[in-house]
Amino acid sequence: MSESSYHSVRGLERGLAVLRAVNALGHATSVEVASRTGLPRPTVHRLLETLRTEGFLRRTSLRDAYRLTLKVKSLSGGYKDEDWITDIADAVLAELCDEVVWPTDITTYEDEGMVIRSTTHYRSPLSIERSWVGRQLPMLSTAAGWTYLAFTPAKERKAILERIATVPGPDQEKMRDPEAVRRALAATRRRGYGTRQRELMAKTSSIAVPIMNGAHVLGCVNIIWIDSAMAFDVATRRYLPVLQHAATRITAAYQALTAT
């Protein structure tokens, strides 16, 4: 890296530090920002004025004090709630795959289905099904779908079920018997995880657990195995604790990420 490039990167780092300091303080003078960041006051003043000129800060009625403007929100315009997965889940899934070998996925809800956001199918030597990032799966034919519906708040669950009942496909067929769906969801909540036995993918079975943040379901993590290779109850006993631990780790990492 050239010296000029290095200084440019340092300038960006310092600008972000100043922006974070103003955000944390609510409104701040250059002296307060310098104290918080450890940067020289002349440098802080230049960065504050640059951010003000670009519209991300404004002066308050207090002398030399700055506040964030609404323009700061534009920085998050391209960020989706699911993008946290690339920051957290890939590493957790890689370790999970090393431990269990069978393929695993992380999915989130979108447009009446569960969308695969991260997967180890491509690296697991035991994978026999195609699974790729961005693939959408039906709610009521997958362990992840049952899990998401079972643990999401009742109001959201009701709205999702009403929507999928109007969309042609396997979910709509199951919604012809809403009482059976209600019983299955209640059973999923009681045991704490969702299941799929052969359905949808005829040679495999799976279980899934929710990734919770308080009452909110961030997504689900599942494991898939060849059904003829292992009895369902054996696989559940062996892998459920591992999945639950992975979900706990993802939740903790997510909370740490969003707290910064």
Side-chain angles (χ1 to χ4, degrees), residues 142-172:
T142 58
W146 284 109
T147 301
Y148 186 90
L149 283 168
F151 289 93
T152 203
K155 184 176 181 180
E156 181 182 355
R157 177 168 58 251
K158 181 175 182 292
I160 293 173
L161 290 173
E162 288 175 351
R163 287 198 295 272
I164 64 178
T166 67
V167 179
D171 284 349
Q172 187 183 60

Side-chain angles (χ1 to χ4, degrees), residues 7-257:
H7 285 306
S8 297
V9 172
R10 285 292 302 277
L12 176 59
E13 290 174 348
R14 290 176 170 185
L16 291 172
V18 166
L19 200 59
R20 285 195 294 267
V22 176
N23 180 60
L25 294 168
H27 61 79
T29 66
S30 58
V31 173
E32 291 169 330
V33 174
S35 176
R36 189 176 184 91
T37 61
L39 297 173
R41 186 180 175 188
T43 299
V44 168
H45 180 74
R46 288 195 300 271
L47 290 168
L48 286 168
E49 281 299 301
T50 299
L51 289 166
R52 184 181 67 83
T53 301
E54 292 297 319
F56 295 105
L57 297 178
R58 64 177 177 84
R59 287 281 187 90
T60 70
S61 58
L62 300 174
R63 184 174 178 274
D64 196 33
Y66 296 81
R67 281 186 181 274
L68 300 179
T69 69
L70 286 175
K71 189 175 181 181
V72 171
K73 290 188 174 182
S74 68
L75 297 175
S76 64
Y79 188 89
K80 298 180 180 179
D81 289 342
E82 296 81 9
D83 290 346
W84 59 269
I85 291 175
T86 60
D87 298 322
I88 297 171
D90 285 351
V92 175
L93 279 195
E95 294 177 13
L96 185 60
C97 186
D98 289 340
E99 182 175 359
V100 303
V101 186
W102 293 107
T104 57
D105 302 312
I106 288 181
T107 57
T108 61
Y109 173 74
E110 183 179 306
D111 296 334
E112 291 75 58
M114 297 301 291
V115 176
I116 297 173
R117 303 293 180 181
S118 186
T119 184
T120 63
H121 271 271
Y122 66 94
R123 60 176 292 175
S124 170
L126 301 179
S127 176
I128 62 169
E129 304 280 0
R130 289 194 66 190
S131 184
W132 58 89
V133 172
R135 181 183 181 186
Q136 187 175 56
L137 304 171
M139 299 295 290
L140 301 181
S141 301
T142 58
W146 284 109
T147 301
Y148 186 90
L149 283 168
F151 289 93
T152 203
K155 184 176 181 180
E156 181 182 355
R157 177 168 58 251
K158 181 175 182 292
I160 293 173
L161 290 173
E162 288 175 351
R163 287 198 295 272
I164 64 178
T166 67
V167 179
D171 284 349
Q172 187 183 60
E173 290 301 313
K174 285 188 172 62
M175 285 303 297
R176 296 183 187 279
D177 189 353
E179 182 58 27
V181 171
R182 187 196 65 77
R183 291 194 301 270
L185 289 172
T188 300
R189 284 192 296 276
R190 284 194 300 271
R191 65 175 171 257
Y193 61 94
T195 67
R196 174 186 64 81
Q197 297 188 55
R198 290 187 177 267
E199 187 178 10
L200 186 66
M201 291 172 266
K203 296 181 180 180
T204 63
S205 292
S206 63
I207 57 173
V209 299
I211 304 167
M212 303 296 298
N213 183 36
H216 177 57
V217 185
L218 296 173
C220 301
V221 56
N222 70 280
I223 183 169
I224 302 166
W225 66 91
I226 299 172
D227 197 69
S228 60
M230 191 181 308
F232 190 87
D233 58 341
V234 172
T236 300
R237 286 196 302 271
R238 182 174 299 176
Y239 298 125
L240 179 59
V242 182
L243 281 186
Q244 291 170 330
H245 179 64
T248 299
R249 287 182 58 201
I250 294 170
T251 295
Y254 173 83
Q255 291 173 342
L257 179 69

